[in-house]
Amino acid sequence: MKMKHYLSLALALVACLPVGAQKKAVYQDVNAPIEARVQDALSRMTVHEKVQILHAQSKFTSPGVPRLGIRELHHSDGPHGVRAEVDWNSWDSANWTNDSIVAFPSLTCLAATWNTGLSRVYGHAISEEFAFRGKDILLGPGTTIARLPLNGRNFEYMGEDPYLAGEMAVPYIQAAQANGVACCLKHFFLNNQETDRFTVNVNVSERAVNEIYLPAFEKAVKKANVWTIMGSYNLWNNVHCCQNDSLLNRILKKQWGFDGAVVSDWGGVTDTWQAALGGMDLEMGSFTNGKTEDNSLGYNTYNLADPFESLINEGKIPMEMLNDKAARVLRTIFRTSMNPNKVVGSQCSEAHYDACQAIGEEGIVLLKNDVVKKSKSPLLPIDASKYNRILVVGENATRNLSEGGGSSELKTKFDIMPLDELKAMFGDKIDYAQGYYSGRPLYDKVEELDPAKQQALHDEAVEKAKNADLIIFIGGLNKNTKQDCEANDREDYHLSFGQDALISDLAKIQKNMIVVTFGGNAYATPWIEQVPSLVHCWYLGSMSGKSLCNVLSGKVNPSGKLPVTFAKKLDDYACFQYGKEAFPGVNKQVYYKEGIYVGYRHFNTNKIQPQFAFGHGLSYTTFKYGKPVLSAKEMASDGTISLSVDVTNTGKVAGKEVVQLYLQDVKCSVDRPQKELKGFKKISLNPGETQTVTFAIAPDDLCFFSEASHRWESEPGKFKAYVCSSETDVRGVAEFELK
């Protein structure tokens, strides 16, 4: 009887409502176009509700509109996995027991695969974990250019070249957002150093901005339709990037047509007026009010909270500006938290571990693999039958490299360590010596190390090396402060903790030595002539041991290529040739005096020999390139030409090769690099197999940014197309003319 009574009452109440109110509101109709939903929701919201959705309500959430049933947004750090839960209003761990996840390889590792298909796999897998954890916005990926090899956050980015970074970011974003999880592309822009990141103003030429530092972001906006983008802490033209009208309004929203929401880096907004007028849409913060630890100040004190609402109510800021910001946040909500097609997702699935392992395997770069005179063959892949006593040396053989690094630190369900996998593979032939130690992965300080302990570990490794017939050194960088870590940069170009001396001393004892390094940056190799084999792994995530050992054993043929240049010495990099003004800056001003000559553009144009070139990476097989063939010798200003080249696997095992296309403007009225990357394709070939690789060359590929006309231009004349296995390993050249 009671049920019938309640039903009758409900029907009576509905009958009393106006006819229009009995229908589902447009914003609630999941089948309605998103723009119709946005405009309908705006028409129903009060000024206060519109302002509320523009700022945080906790460390990682921003409000919806509860009165209207509009859901809030849940953000979480990436870009390599879902961050462990923290308390609602502090950075303390929430101590959940069900937030352990898969740590995927670092984005430098993804970039080193040069495989856009794997980038799509990465975006799909990681977004499933975000969705399963109830997250709407993935804070990543990052396409900040690696201007210098000391940047503490380079491991979160995709290398030194804007073309490569853009091409690798697009599939990641597309796949993630197809699952209803927004990517938040970061850090926009010029966040090329962590030193003074909150206060440093970047002085950079208009040409470098457009040729080097913006293109990857632009590609992610125009090709991937990224839904959110994160402003950076630093200043550009003496205005913080999180409230920079020229950057956020003129370039991002007007020129590029970005229709999503600009999200501040945590605490990146400093002024209400500038944020309001400068294009910021959603303000997030580190402390309660975004700036201080004073808990008496609530989220209503954010710049885009009460102070902004007061300006609106006083008529000092037009309602159109508020509506635009609110519309962008609503658009994000309807694309994610109120998207009926958002996936349920999964966490720590077998498919995710498989993806992690595959990305790691293809991102590992074989830098050197010389023939050892005694055996007349390279050390890699390891032939276990040749060795009775294999000594593994180095802390990174056992260290969990998912810990540390700042905001990208991850809490994993499990990690397969290299030493454990080597033992599983080679059994009791394996012995281990730590060799050095680095301390805990602290975020804001360097732990003081005991020199006596460091020396004892060094001596133990050297003593054990006397009984080994193969040494595998596993070291490199880690995610400690002043290594690869947010909020600070490396202090020098060398490997820390006495590793250079240790490697050299071990090599004096045993010539059969493989050096394996982890890390997100290039580093000095003063011992390079002493060791026959060198492998660089970046950060491989939860399956690091499996990925590494599959490459060392030959089960997987390495195919990674460097997304950054390894210089012989720090001063070889362009920015270090201009003193402190170029890095870390003077009086909070840093000057990019090298202009467009970042990374390999500087090395090849100035004929500086790198230790390992951009795009370099060896294989266990060999590849022969045929002569490149152009479809035409002349290109019209509105046409394209194609370039084709045959590539053959001339070795005895299957392998993958990255065929790279670089272009050179032979004669131009402005300085241009010797060559610039304009295409790449990764192919898989069985022994003896040949495949034809074809590139389309368009007029846009020939352009430079003119500071005289403030636009992209090209000049008629001769161009060279270089088909390469690395930037310095040219396999063929073809010439054509732009008419």
Side-chain angles (χ1 to χ4, degrees), residues 387-399:
Y387 310 105
N388 296 315
R389 297 176 300 278
I390 302 174
L391 176 65
V392 179
V393 179
E395 187 185 59
N396 282 350
T398 60
R399 187 183 180 97

Side-chain angles (χ1 to χ4, degrees), residues 368-611:
K368 182 180 181 182
N369 197 27
D370 289 352
V371 172
V372 179
K373 291 182 180 179
K374 190 174 181 180
S375 63
K376 297 182 181 180
S377 63
L379 291 182
L380 291 171
I382 297 172
D383 182 352
S385 67
K386 293 182 178 180
Y387 310 105
N388 296 315
R389 297 176 300 278
I390 302 174
L391 176 65
V392 179
V393 179
E395 187 185 59
N396 282 350
T398 60
R399 187 183 180 97
N400 184 346
L401 293 171
S402 297
E403 296 178 349
S407 60
S408 65
E409 181 173 24
L410 296 172
K411 177 182 174 182
T412 55
K413 187 174 182 180
F414 68 83
D415 293 271
I416 297 178
M417 300 300 172
L419 180 61
D420 292 336
E421 191 64 21
L422 284 167
K423 287 180 176 179
M425 190 169 288
F426 299 116
D428 57 9
K429 292 184 177 184
I430 297 290
D431 191 12
Y432 175 65
Q434 185 173 327
Y436 69 93
Y437 85 113
S438 63
R440 294 172 294 166
L442 303 176
Y443 175 72
D444 56 352
K445 62 182 178 181
V446 177
E447 185 173 16
E448 187 174 345
L449 304 180
D450 180 0
K453 178 180 178 181
Q454 200 74 280
Q455 188 63 48
L457 291 171
H458 176 107
D459 293 345
E460 178 194 24
V462 170
E463 187 63 29
K464 284 192 173 186
K466 296 174 182 178
N467 297 317
D469 47 17
L470 174 66
I471 298 174
I472 305 174
F473 179 87
I474 303 179
L477 304 177
N478 58 32
K479 294 181 182 175
N480 287 12
T481 297
K482 298 187 178 180
Q483 291 283 300
D484 284 328
C485 186
E486 181 182 359
N488 47 77
D489 296 316
R490 296 167 63 197
E491 293 183 316
D492 62 54
Y493 190 49
H494 287 268
L495 296 179
S496 300
F497 320 116
Q499 291 181 78
D500 285 340
L502 177 57
I503 293 170
S504 180
D505 287 348
L506 292 171
K508 292 173 184 175
I509 297 170
Q510 177 52 260
K511 300 300 182 184
N512 292 337
M513 184 170 173
I514 301 163
V515 174
V516 176
T517 54
F518 287 83
N521 273 298
Y523 54 85
T525 56
W527 33 260
I528 192 65
E529 298 303 324
Q530 295 179 266
V531 300
S533 297
L534 174 60
V535 177
H536 188 58
C537 296
W538 318 103
Y539 295 108
L540 300 177
S542 293
M543 301 296 284
S544 59
K546 182 73 73 172
S547 296
L548 173 60
C549 289
N550 282 347
V551 168
L552 295 182
S553 67
K555 184 176 181 181
V556 169
N557 193 345
S559 61
K561 301 274 190 173
L562 289 178
V564 294
T565 302
F566 275 50
K568 293 182 178 180
K569 60 184 187 300
L570 188 64
D571 288 345
D572 285 347
Y573 291 100
C575 57
F576 291 102
Q577 300 185 3
Y578 299 99
K580 291 183 178 179
E581 282 192 332
F583 176 79
V586 176
N587 298 323
K588 308 299 183 183
Q589 298 286 332
V590 64
Y591 298 86
Y592 288 16
K593 293 187 175 183
E594 72 280 2
I596 62 171
Y597 292 99
V598 176
Y600 70 87
R601 287 168 169 79
H602 162 70
F603 284 83
N604 64 26
T605 304
N606 293 287
K607 296 179 172 57
I608 299 172
Q609 185 65 34
Q611 188 66 66

Side-chain angles (χ1 to χ4, degrees), residues 158-328:
M158 297 194 189
E160 69 187 32
D161 182 76
Y163 182 86
L164 175 64
E167 289 295 303
M168 293 302 294
V170 165
Y172 177 118
I173 295 166
Q174 290 173 330
Q177 294 186 166
N179 286 335
V181 175
C183 285
C184 191
L185 188 67
K186 61 184 188 181
H187 296 91
F188 193 56
F189 76 134
L190 299 174
N191 187 189
N192 307 106
Q193 65 185 64
E194 291 295 284
T195 304
D196 296 326
R197 62 177 177 160
F198 297 112
T199 55
V200 71
N201 178 64
V202 178
N203 299 271
V204 57
S205 70
E206 182 184 16
R207 185 178 175 195
V209 162
N210 285 277
E211 290 192 19
I212 304 298
Y213 297 106
L214 284 180
F217 289 100
E218 182 177 9
K219 190 168 287 184
V221 171
K222 290 184 174 180
K223 290 186 67 174
N225 188 31
V226 67
W227 289 342
T228 62
I229 194 165
M230 182 185 291
S232 57
Y233 287 129
N234 55 279
L235 294 80
W236 176 49
N237 294 335
N238 294 302
V239 179
H240 282 280
C241 287
C242 279
Q243 50 206 37
N244 193 305
D245 176 66
S246 295
L247 178 66
L248 302 182
N249 286 326
R250 181 175 62 84
I251 295 175
L252 177 63
K253 294 179 178 179
K254 292 179 182 177
Q255 289 185 13
W256 297 353
F258 176 68
D259 71 351
V262 180
V263 181
S264 77
D265 206 339
W266 269 230
V269 174
T270 65
D271 181 85
T272 297
W273 269 103
Q274 285 193 339
L277 302 176
M280 178 51 58
D281 301 313
L282 179 51
E283 181 185 6
M284 304 299 291
S286 293
F287 301 107
T288 306
N289 73 336
K291 287 295 162 193
T292 73
E293 297 187 47
D294 184 353
N295 289 326
S296 67
L297 299 173
Y299 291 97
N300 63 304
T301 62
Y302 272 40
N303 290 282
L304 290 183
D306 288 356
F308 181 54
E309 187 171 352
S310 295
L311 294 175
I312 294 289
N313 290 333
E314 293 166 9
K316 295 180 179 178
I317 290 180
M319 189 64 66
E320 290 79 9
M321 186 172 291
L322 171 61
N323 285 338
D324 178 69
K325 294 179 188 298
R328 291 173 180 276

